[in-house]
Amino acid sequence: MQQDYDPQQIETQVQQQWQDTEAFKAVEDSEKEKFYCLEMFPYPSGKLHMGHVRNYTIGDVISRYQRMLGKNVLHPMGWDAFGLPAENAAIENKTAPAAWTEQNIENMRGQLKRLGFSYDWDREFATCEPDYYRWEQWFFTQLYERGLVYKKEAEVNWDPVDQTVLANEQVVDGRGWRSGALVEKKKIPQWFIKITAYAEELLASLDDLEGWPDSVKTMQRNWIGKSVGAEVVFKVDQVAGAEDLRVFTTRPDTIMGVTYLAVAADHPLAVAVAEDNPALADFRQQCQQTSTAEADLETMEKLGMPLGINAVHPVSGEEVPVWCANFVLMTYGTGAVMAVPAHDQRDYEFASKYEIAIKPVIFPEDGSDAPAGEAYTEYGVLGNSGEFDGLESEAAKEVITNWLAERGLGEEQVNYRLRDWGVSRQRYWGCPIPMIYDEAGEAVPATDFPVELPTDVVMDGVGSPIKKMASFIDTLHPQTQQPAQRETDTFDTFFESSWYYARYCCPDLDTAMLDQRANHWLPVDQYIGGIEHAVMHLLYARFFHKLMRDVGLLDSNEPFTNLLTQGMVTAETYYRFNESGKREFFNPAEVELEHDDKGGVLAARLADGSSVEIGGVEKMSKSKNNGVDPQSMIDLYGADTVRLFTMFAAPPDQSLEWNDDAIAGASRFLRRLWNLFEQHKETLAEVRLAPIADPTAMQNVAREAKALRLVTHTITQRALRDYERKQFNTVVAAAMELTNAVEKADWNAMGDAASAVLSEACYTLVKILTPVTPHLCEYLWQHYGTQERGLNDAWLSVDESALEKDEVTYVVQVNGKLRAKLLVAASAEKAEIEAMAQADSNVQRFLNGLTIRKVIVVPNKLVNIVAN
RNA sequence: GCGAGAGUGGCGGAAUUGGUAGACGCGCUAGAUUUAGGUUCUAGUGUCUUGCGGCGUGAGAGUUCGAGUCUCUCCUCUCGCACCA
């Protein structure tokens, strides 16, 4: 009597067992090698999306694989619970952000459990809990004591109608998303942490991160943006009291080509001049009307206005006009740049537009002409540069920098693109910044942790409720005990996500931020998350780790040894234009496709027969209505199928296209696997799943038995390799191939060896698939596995003797084109193979009339006969 | 604009890292079984010729006996750009 595969029943049963036996509880153990596997924790937005499912399945596969290798695995999960969406939801639903967040966590935790992830749930926490954020408040005050925290004015997006600060995300086409008002830049005082003090180390230690993708390391290097150059002084004597202009340049060799200077709209010189220059004041005003996003600044039209004053060129002594320009960033370097239109493309375009002189001073070394109509940005030989003529760029940089330094007009300088981390947010749903202001407005660190965020609030949509909450604000000065006021800004939520990985090591600790358990588990051996975090989150976490080290909380230098950046989850989009000419999107679940004879898509229709346009594959999103709810897939197929599909459809670091037919295929495979075991249930129950104990006994068995063993062990070899390189799609493909081979095997022809060979193949299948589809494999193991050992107690090994072949297939090419295949004895000599290849009749045909020039033999692979 | 990736059948992808392009799966075609459905099984499936063979990994060049893989130029798409997380 065969049973049907019932994933829902198997999965709940197995999950219950895992829970009862505390199967994934992590306990420090100095005897076993530790492995800390971590996925980026989710923002509790309401329910899991496919990106989460993919991220956490990858992490679970790695965790379970490492567990099977015998390691002591820590695999925690928690919630990145502070953030903007909770405030928006609170305004919309008239609930407090805390309750909304808690409800979402509840819901998503249930979904994660249903997917069977091997988390140690005892370590779970949410970052909005005072027991968590009190320690980052304490830590912030430690940084303050160490001089790594300071306050300065910085720009925010200001909505002049709603009178509120907007996130970049809330600025759409330069306007506030609710009010529609033109957004302005506004300066307000904010807290900063000196990440620039760690720029050099953050840059240098990237070289040690061998387990990180090169692309991420390159992005971080570029983000830090170290450049070596010179600071050059241009004297300004036309404006009373004005300071000299200091500019940073990476190309001091081009200094004689400077034809103007440009300062940011906010530069003190521009501010001073604008006082009695209305046109310039207007221009400055115009520059304020934009968002603070760099992408916006860089893509807007480059505009400028002359200040009407000149600066003195430090070498030639000539007068150079000073301009105010919207593309000069006050936050990079000194807020002023020297412009060399002949050798910088942006300067060139600006100079052309405003008819400023272009003076070439660098020329190609080979004496050729520089291309016309654009800047010549290469290195070369100096000309038109007075005493520096004839020097090469590289040498000239040093000579000119020294020349300036000797005269007090400049010096060599290293500059970073990286800016200090502004951590102040004028929002409610975040961790309160633990600072207290005395009556004179002087700030001191709080000492009463946690500085608890009041959760009983009403969001009115205009500003943070704690900003007018006296019970929160009014306090006493920690030293003088005089009346004082609390800071009402909260931390950037990157603050919480910068150290959560460490807190998982000791989530219950109530006397300190971290203890020795952190040194036991850290660094994280495998970190997994979206590529969109390549720079910011990962850089802040690296920074925080080094800070925690320097405060004495940790021993290691870096938080994450290996990093896997997963691709996004995409799906086909379908739309049609509605009456108002806007695209109306339809969910792929509502669309049926019409195919031609070759399987190509001809048309897409809704259930009512009306046709819709095919919009192309895009990232799953609400706006494109192409999301697939993981819950519906779990309900339909079970967790193992969802896990199998997400692993099989694409390698982890590439984008994954969702396909409803293909997930049905994954389900079909598990059913086939189930049926395979059902079909052989008597044999398997008797011999039990096991590798072959004595491979030498297999030397003289029937060739069919040997053939299946060859498949089993070739597949094992591939699966081992692919687990190691984290290419799980081919791990699944290998298991499918082995399943195909077992299904087709001729058991009668194997004779006595049949049951042992079957047992070995099925054992291999269960082991290979356990990390991916743990529920089914656990069930099969409990029914057919050896009783003495658990499923995770041993991993697979390859029996080399099973891989030995008597004969090898050689490919024979003539001039690189395939002309024959030869079955050659494995022991054959090179000369013998060459002769066989040349003797082949088809090869002969293509060699006819040609002279053989060369014969290349690649052992066990191919012969290429070169002839003409 | 700047920085980083990716382009292989109708589709997702594979290719032991310079050596048979298309594993595995989806879709499609034909057949069988069940017999109404999105069941299961068998065979086929890059393309043009349907004989041998020619062509084929975004486009174009180059290196090599040999290139999806290495080099250069170009095109398209995706991600990030400091207050979304």
Side-chain angles (χ1 to χ4, degrees), chain A residues 354-550:
Chain A
Y354 291 106
E355 295 176 336
I356 306 172
I358 297 170
K359 181 187 173 193
V361 292
I362 308 286
F363 301 91
E365 281 182 49
D366 58 10
S368 64
D369 288 337
E374 60 181 25
Y376 178 70
T377 56
E378 307 291 309
Y379 283 2
V381 182
L382 274 68
N384 292 333
S385 298
E387 62 180 283
F388 307 119
D389 277 358
L391 286 171
E392 292 186 353
S393 288
E394 201 66 64
K397 283 183 172 187
E398 202 182 325
V399 170
I400 291 173
T401 305
N402 289 340
W403 190 98
L404 291 166
E406 281 160 21
R407 289 159 182 79
L409 293 167
E411 58 189 342
E412 188 186 89
Q413 191 167 327
V414 174
N415 226 26
Y416 296 92
R417 204 186 75 98
L418 182 70
R419 309 200 290 260
D420 277 336
W421 181 9
V423 296
S424 295
R425 296 292 180 272
Q426 297 69 47
R427 311 198 188 290
Y428 159 72
W429 190 234
C431 169
I433 296 177
M435 297 299 288
I436 291 170
Y437 299 96
D438 67 16
E439 280 168 327
E442 284 296 310
V444 290
T447 52
D448 53 340
F449 308 115
V451 178
E452 214 164 318
L453 181 75
T455 51
D456 185 19
V457 295
V458 177
M459 301 291 296
D460 58 6
V462 187
S464 161
I466 58 169
K467 290 202 177 288
K468 38 197 171 182
M469 192 181 282
S471 60
F472 176 77
I473 296 169
D474 293 336
T475 187
L476 296 177
H477 190 282
Q479 279 84 48
T480 65
Q481 302 301 316
Q482 293 299 303
Q485 298 202 308
R486 287 196 193 278
E487 171 68 76
T488 55
D489 279 359
T490 52
F491 282 132
D492 176 5
T493 55
F494 276 125
F495 216 81
E496 285 82 55
S497 57
S498 293
W499 71 285
Y500 76 109
Y501 64 90
R503 184 67 183 177
Y504 280 136
C505 302
C506 41
D508 53 354
L509 187 66
D510 58 6
T511 51
M513 190 172 184
L514 300 175
D515 64 14
Q516 274 309 308
R517 287 175 287 174
N519 277 329
H520 175 83
W521 292 109
L522 292 172
V524 171
D525 294 278
Q526 181 68 59
Y527 195 35
I528 307 137
I531 183 69
E532 67 271 23
H533 296 292
V535 176
M536 302 190 63
H537 161 63
L538 287 167
L539 190 65
Y540 289 138
R542 293 182 60 222
F543 172 47
F544 231 90
H545 196 88
K546 292 175 193 299
L547 290 173
M548 290 192 287
R549 176 198 64 194
D550 292 346

Side-chain angles (χ1 to χ4, degrees), chain A residues 574-616:
Chain A
Y574 302 97
Y575 67 91
R576 123 197 340 158
F577 289 102
N578 62 15
E579 294 85 30
S580 51
K582 277 195 154 185
R583 276 165 206 243
E584 186 187 347
F585 284 91
F586 297 91
N587 195 273
E590 306 165 39
V591 177
E592 279 172 38
L593 297 179
E594 206 172 291
H595 295 273
D596 63 18
D597 279 3
K598 288 176 180 172
V601 176
L602 286 174
R605 297 182 191 287
L606 299 181
D608 63 11
S610 60
S611 68
V612 290
E613 301 295 317
I614 298 166

